[in-house]
Each structure stands twice: as structure tokens, then as C-alpha cells.
Amino acid sequence: MISFSSFPMREELIRAISDLGFETPTPIQQKVIPQLLSEPIDIIGLAQTGTGKTAAYGLPLLHHVDVAQKHVQCLVLSPTRELCMQIQEEMTKYGAHMRGLRITAVYGGVSITGQIKDVRANPQIIVATPGRLIDLLERKALSLEHVQFVVLDEADEMLNMGFREDIDIILKNTPEREHTWLFSATMSNEVRGIAKRFMKDWKEFASGAANITNENIDHQYFVANHHNRFETLRRLLDFNPGIYGIIFTRTKQDCQEVSEKLMKMGYHVSPLHGDMDQKMRSKVMDRFKAKQLQCIVATDVAARGIDVNDITHVINYELPDDPEVYTHRSGRTARAGKSGICMSIVSPKQISNIRQIERLVKQKFNKSDIPDGSEVVRKRLFFYMEQIASAEPKADFAKLYKDMMHEQFAEMDKDELIRKLIWLQLKETIDAYQEADDLNAGFEGKDRDRGTRGSRYTRLFINLGEKDGLNNQKLLAFIAESTDIDPNTIERMTVRDMSSFFNVPGEAATFIIDQLSNKKFKGRKVRLEEADQPPMGGGSRGESGGRPRPSSGPRFAGGEGRSFGGGRDRDGGGRDGGREASRESSYKGGGRKRY
Ligand code: AMP
């Protein structure tokens, strides 16, 4: 196995990598680093965020930089402020043991005065957004005269944001540039155009599409009619109590509206879009990183700056126009070897778009049921019970009050105490979901107990669930492997803690039950039977279920109660902020349709 220490790299860098706990270079790093260390030719790296691309170019840059020389030797261009800050932060960690190293980041949306001072302090490396860099060049605050290395990070995104001319100007102003390294998630003619204009005999390296086909991502979709989109989102949030995620909207307006509605209902969320000023965006990111927010509601451009490794869910409130954008979104979860779930809310018409994305990511998407009210309540009940079970109160907690508490509850038996405690915690959820509709498209307003597709499908119950390490994808794989049944015929899978449900064509039900009933899963005997529920998946296996209709009452304590209002770049945004905003608004009109 290749290790970082086998790279012929400055000892200070090897030490920093070891401090950071990086063990193995990622695929793009394995390909690019040895090349750029030994022979720093021009290269194109096809890699998305999350693949380790910053270190792939950052370590060789730091290796070649001469700290004794006090002038700008390396320039990294990146599309957004957030990315600039991340790159600077990341490279500063890699260069932590290099004495005399100075890395400065400059970007739009904040006052230029402080940045003028920073660039005059003779950094060896500058990380910049193109617009702000040109502002600084025009003010003669810095010179690119001695720049030898230029990195274009997320080149496709810079072009999408309209920075082409700026990039041209900047590259033309680097007379001593010897090496140009271009990184891009996608390869378009425009990206190639830059390479042709400014690069010599370049070599191409791909990350091995790590984020495009990431088997750790469970892709799920939920079919709801347009008018139920928001309710569906709420239900998915309620059904996933430990969620730490990003909800993607297509437009800034949707982003603002959806998050405001959720906030009013008491969810811990916040919007993140290009119309928010930079300070506001940083504040949101800080709160998200500190886990004070359960979700961020974001547009695609704003979300580029989110660099968090333990995101559990990505929710597409609406699918993007471009299937490739889907892969950027889903790649926000299941990073650094973890697993994650990407959920998409789609209208019946958009199912064909899902098929197209399936082909791109080379993975089957699971059509999942929008959970009904009783399932939400059950899920939250389990979650709460687990929280109680795993709570570790401080040893001396309640010492003072022990007698008093016991006295207060002396007359109450355990059963009553438990019921009261759980009721207190869950009553809002229970009330909210008492009368909830079936949101699955095609089933709204229909009487579940009669069912409409009942004759064609049979709903099966299986005694395996999340506790067995299963999710939709893994259960589907297990069923398909054990029975040879075409996974496409299995529908509306609902994985619960200890059991799951799914629909199969009526004529296949007995065969599947026979095939699976003798099997074992991780040593546990599999039990499979026809569910009490009707095939559309609504029923409630003997619970009081009913048809919950969520009220607008708060679901989580202490809602944010605060909205983040409009006004763009109040700090004096400059070119970059405006560019980002104008690109986002192009999505409003449907943008580039590729389906
Ligand atoms: P990037 O694709 O550059 O945005 O990197 C994504 C994340 O992976 C960052 O948080 C890096 O610190 C981390 N990372 C980069 N390379 C490695 C590695 N070889 N091993 C573990 N983590 C890494």
C-alpha cells in the first residue's frame, strides 16, 4: 500500500500529514502527488470536493515553494469565498511545520482594506477568487510577476460563474508561470479551452470517480405531488430524528421560504444562499459545524463551501436540472469512508430523471414510501427510548434531590412513570400525526384500508431492520441475492428499527416468502410473512395510527425563530458576490435543461 512517507516530500510535510492522522493517500493523491513532486508538469485533475484534491495539489505546491523568498510564488484560484477559506485553512495545516511560510486568502464580499495589508505582507502563496484578485491587481496592491505555479481549482465552477475573462486576464499577467494545474469536477469544452489557451502538453488524472459511484450512499426517492413537497420534507425530517443534513433547493427563493417555514415550526435549520452576506453565511456554517443546526437549507452554489465530513443525509427538495449536479449534492454525504443517505423528493413526472441519474452514478435508486404518521411516531419513540437508555447522568447528579424525587413519585408505578415521561416528550408528534394524510403520490385522499393497487401487489413484513445494519439498499440487495428476484419489482420499502416492509408483485409473494424464510441474516433466522398492512404501505400493524395530519406546532424545542433576510453583500460584495448571485438566479428560469 502506498503511504505518504514513501513520497519524496519535505520532511515538514510528512510530519504535518502524520499529525493530521492521514494514513493512506486518496486515489487522486496517489496519482497526482508523485508526478507533481518529481516533475511538476502541467496537469488536469478531474476530481470533486471530498476526494482529497486540495492535498493532491497543495502538498506538491508546498514542497516546491521557497520560504526564503518573500514574494508570491503560487497562486490558487477558486470560485467562492468559502472554498478560498477552506483551501487556505487546509494548506496552512499541511504547512504547519514550514517556518516562514505565509498563505493569504483574498475573496469578495468583505472589505478590501484588510486584504491589501495581508497581500503586502509578502505571502508566498495566495488563494483568491478571480474577481477580488483583479480588484487587487487594479489597485496595484500586489504583483503576480514572480508567480511560477498557478492552480485553477473547480475550474468548471469558475466558468459557470462567469469568471472566464478574469481567468484569462490573470493568467496573462503571470509572465513567469511555469506550471498550471487545473482541477475540475467535470470536463467541458470550455474547461478544455482554458487548457488549450494556457497550458502545455498536460497530463490528465481522474480521481477514479470516487464520489460519482460511492457505494456508501443509499440513494432513495419519494414520489409526492408538487403541492405535497413541503409536507413530505417535514415528514422525512420527523422520521429521521438524528438527522444532520443538507436540504437542497433549486432557487434562493425556495431556500429562503423552505427554511423560514421550517424555522417557524421549530426545526433547527438555517438557509445558506448567495444573497446572504458573508458574515451571515459564516455564522450559519459555524452553527452547523457546532451541531446547533440539524440541517442547512442550501442552494447549490452556496453549498460548495460546506466542508463537513459527517453529514448523515442529503435531501433534494427538488432535483437539480443537471444530473451531474446531483452527484455534487449526494457527494456531501458518505465522505471519508462513512455511509450516508441521499433522499430526493420527486413528482411522478420526474421519475424518468431519476433513471437518468441512476445511469450516471451507476447505482440503483430505491423508491421508498413516505412514512405514515404511525411510523413517524414509532420512530421517534424508539429514538427517545434509545436516548434514555444511553444517557449517562453525572455520578453525583440528583444526589441533592434524590429523596425529594422518590417521595414525589412514591405513589406512581414504573409503568405510569414511563408513560408520562414519554407522553411529555412525544405528545406534539403524536398530536401532529394523528390525522396525517398519505403523501405518496397516487394515494392521497384514498382510503388506505381498501387500497387501489392491492390486487397487483402484496406487502410483506420481514423481521430485519436498521438494528441489523440494514438500510433500503442493503435490504434490497439481500432480498435480490437470496431469491434471484429482479430488484426493480420490489417497491415501497420501509426499513424500521427491527423490521421492514416492502411490496412485491402479488404472484411472486409466496415464492419470495418460501425462498427467504429458511435463510439466516448475520446469524438471525429470517422471518417473512404477508403484512397486516395493505400493499400501499399505509397501514399501521395494530397501532392507533390513523391518518396523521401534522399541525404546525413545534417539533423540536427552541426553534430558531429567526429568519435571514435578503440584502446581498452588505459588506461591499464586489465582483465575486454579484457573480455568484447572478448565476444562482439563472436556475430560476429552469436553467440548462439536460434531461
Ligand atoms: P478535499 O477533497 O480536498 O476537499 O478534501 C476532503 C477532506 O478530506 C478534507 O477534510 C481533508 O482534510 C481530508 N483528506 C484529504 N486527504 C486525506 C487523506 N489522505 N486521508 C484522510 N483524509 C484526507
Side-chain angles (χ1 to χ4, degrees):
M1 208 199 316
I2 302 178
S3 69
F4 281 102
S5 53
S6 68
F7 293 148
M9 201 159 59
R10 279 175 191 236
E11 172 277 329
E12 298 106 299
L13 295 175
I14 305 267
R15 221 168 354 125
I17 290 296
S18 154
D19 294 347
L20 287 169
F22 292 4
E23 285 172 2
T24 330
T26 64
I28 190 78
Q29 292 167 356
Q30 290 186 20
K31 292 174 190 167
V32 165
I33 295 177
Q35 171 74 58
L36 296 186
L37 287 175
S38 58
E39 196 192 350
I41 51 162
D42 285 359
I43 65 148
I44 292 182
L46 277 173
Q48 302 183 0
T49 36
T51 55
K53 69 177 162 65
T54 316
Y57 65 74
L59 291 170
L61 268 192
L62 291 164
H63 176 80
H64 293 297
V65 87
D66 182 355
V67 274
Q69 301 284 330
K70 305 291 178 205
H71 57 245
V72 185
Q73 298 156 43
C74 312
L75 172 67
V76 181
L77 289 180
S78 105
T80 62
R81 166 195 195 256
E82 283 82 5
L83 191 62
C84 272
M85 288 166 64
Q86 261 170 47
I87 296 169
Q88 184 205 23
E89 223 173 88
E90 196 87 352
M91 299 226 338
T92 304
K93 284 188 214 158
Y94 304 148
H97 299 299
M98 289 173 60
R99 290 191 56 184
L101 175 71
R102 232 191 163 96
I103 306 173
T104 295
V106 293
Y107 37 76
V110 291
S111 153
I112 202 165
T113 326
Q115 293 182 352
I116 291 177
K117 236 167 78 196
D118 289 346
V119 295
R120 287 195 171 141
N122 298 321
Q124 292 93 356
I125 300 178
I126 285 195
V127 186
T129 51
R132 177 52 61 100
L133 185 67
I134 290 193
D135 281 354
L136 288 163
L137 287 173
E138 282 169 356
R139 290 169 195 241
K140 303 216 178 328
L142 89 162
S143 152
L144 302 179
E145 216 177 311
H146 301 298
V147 166
Q148 291 166 283
F149 295 86
V150 172
V151 179
L152 304 169
D153 196 351
E154 301 208 352
D156 51 348
E157 207 47 37
M158 286 198 277
L159 293 170
N160 283 340
M161 289 170 71
F163 283 132
R164 197 196 116 145
E165 252 177 57
D166 291 352
I167 294 173
D168 280 11
I169 295 172
I170 292 166
L171 290 177
K172 280 180 190 154
N173 277 282
T174 50
E176 284 188 18
R177 174 170 45 90
E178 287 172 22
H179 315 287
T180 312
W181 302 340
L182 183 156
F183 282 78
S184 186
T186 55
M187 186 42 99
S188 63
N189 286 338
E190 255 198 304
V191 173
R192 250 178 225 292
I194 297 195
K196 280 184 190 147
R197 283 198 301 284
F198 297 105
M199 291 163 63
K200 306 161 280 199
D201 300 333
W202 67 87
K203 258 195 189 171
E204 287 187 18
F205 298 88
S207 67
N211 274 1
I212 296 228
T213 305
N214 182 340
E215 285 171 3
N216 292 333
I217 303 176
D218 181 9
H219 298 274
Q220 307 178 353
Y221 67 101
F222 300 81
V223 186
N225 286 321
H226 186 73
H227 60 272
N228 278 331
R229 208 171 272 279
F230 183 76
E231 275 307 314
T232 303
L233 171 66
R234 287 189 57 199
R235 198 151 314 169
L236 295 178
L237 291 177
D238 287 348
F239 190 65
N240 292 283
I243 192 168
Y244 180 55
I246 309 176
I247 300 162
F248 280 98
T249 59
R250 277 158 54 119
T251 63
K252 287 180 283 191
Q253 201 181 343
D254 275 353
C255 172
Q256 192 68 35
E257 278 174 19
V258 167
S259 49
E260 272 177 23
K261 270 162 99 176
L262 288 173
M263 284 191 285
K264 275 190 198 134
M265 290 167 178
Y267 295 88
H268 291 198
V269 302
S270 179
L272 189 76
H273 58 69
D275 272 1
M276 286 161 56
D277 68 39
Q278 307 289 12
K279 262 195 223 144
M280 206 81 107
R281 283 203 259 171
S282 295
K283 219 162 134 186
V284 171
M285 278 316 299
D286 289 346
R287 292 176 61 213
F288 187 55
K289 282 185 178 161
K291 307 248 162 103
Q292 290 162 2
L293 296 172
Q294 52 179 159
C295 285
I296 279 185
V297 186
T299 55
D300 288 294
V301 171
R304 291 218 147 225
I306 303 176
D307 178 34
V308 179
N309 277 343
D310 48 357
I311 284 170
T312 60
H313 291 72
V314 165
I315 301 182
N316 291 307
Y317 183 69
E318 279 212 70
L319 282 180
D321 287 327
D322 181 346
E324 249 165 37
V325 173
Y326 178 95
T327 66
H328 290 253
R329 291 182 179 184
S330 62
R332 298 283 152 180
T333 186
R335 290 167 66 129
K338 296 187 178 117
S339 56
I341 296 175
C342 182
M343 301 171 149
S344 301
I345 304 173
V346 300
S347 66
K349 274 193 201 149
Q350 290 172 319
I351 294 176
S352 58
N353 300 0
I354 289 284
R355 300 284 164 258
Q356 196 166 356
I357 302 169
E358 277 180 333
R359 285 194 288 278
L360 181 70
V361 302
K362 299 189 182 64
Q363 260 169 289
K364 181 166 159 40
F365 283 31
N366 299 299
K367 179 168 183 255
S368 303
D369 262 355
I370 302 165
D372 71 11
S374 62
E375 281 166 335
V376 174
V377 172
R378 176 195 277 260
K379 189 75 179 269
R380 300 196 75 84
L381 174 65
F382 270 94
F383 185 73
Y384 183 48
M385 289 193 303
E386 239 161 51
Q387 277 185 317
I388 295 177
S390 60
E392 289 178 6
K394 264 193 184 155
D396 58 352
F397 163 75
K399 210 166 159 187
L400 273 174
Y401 321 102
K402 192 174 163 210
D403 294 342
M404 204 173 77
M405 289 192 299
H406 279 269
E407 196 180 320
Q408 172 78 22
F409 299 120
E411 301 294 307
M412 211 181 280
D413 65 17
K414 186 175 167 189
D415 175 60
E416 195 180 354
L417 190 60
I418 290 176
R419 266 194 302 127
K420 278 180 191 278
L421 275 177
I422 288 187
W423 172 252
L424 270 182
Q425 177 73 16
L426 292 182
K427 67 178 181 208
E428 275 166 359
T429 308
I430 294 168
D431 283 347
Y433 281 98
Q434 202 97 58
E435 289 288 318
D437 288 325
D438 187 338
L439 298 176
N440 292 289
F443 299 102
E444 300 160 279
K446 300 217 171 90
D447 185 345
R448 272 188 310 231
D449 297 329
R450 268 189 269 123
T452 50
R453 287 198 305 194
S455 51
R456 284 214 299 124
Y457 285 89
T458 301
R459 191 147 181 85
L460 298 182
F461 159 89
I462 189 166
N463 66 332
L464 300 175
E466 284 174 3
K467 285 265 153 61
D468 302 285
L470 291 172
N471 56 27
N472 287 28
Q473 201 177 14
K474 289 179 183 159
L475 179 58
L476 192 68
F478 171 67
I479 298 166
E481 273 165 26
S482 313
T483 59
D484 270 346
I485 196 119
D486 176 1
N488 291 313
T489 60
I490 297 173
E491 281 201 353
R492 309 198 67 185
M493 190 165 261
T494 306
V495 177
R496 291 177 174 173
D497 289 74
M498 320 247 253
S499 59
S500 306
F501 295 88
F502 53 93
N503 286 0
V504 295
E507 65 276 9
T510 317
F511 169 76
I512 294 174
I513 291 174
D514 284 350
Q515 293 283 305
L516 275 168
S517 289
N518 300 320
K519 293 262 180 309
K520 281 198 168 174
F521 184 84
K522 291 188 181 165
R524 229 177 109 191
K525 195 164 181 315
V526 174
R527 190 161 59 80
L528 202 77
E529 59 194 49
E530 235 177 82
D532 306 345
Q533 308 181 350
M536 25 204 327
S540 55
R541 286 183 72 79
E543 295 166 3
S544 58
R547 299 164 153 259
R549 177 188 301 284
S551 71
S552 55
R555 187 86 348 97
F556 298 94
E560 298 309 303
R562 184 176 166 199
S563 70
F564 293 78
R568 162 164 99 223
D569 272 339
R570 269 165 292 204
D571 280 351
R575 320 166 69 122
D576 300 342
R579 211 70 61 84
E580 179 181 346
S582 69
R583 188 222 158 188
E584 283 198 357
S585 58
S586 75
Y587 274 87
K588 274 189 196 154
R592 335 163 256 170
K593 278 243 182 278
R594 286 217 211 155
Y595 288 121

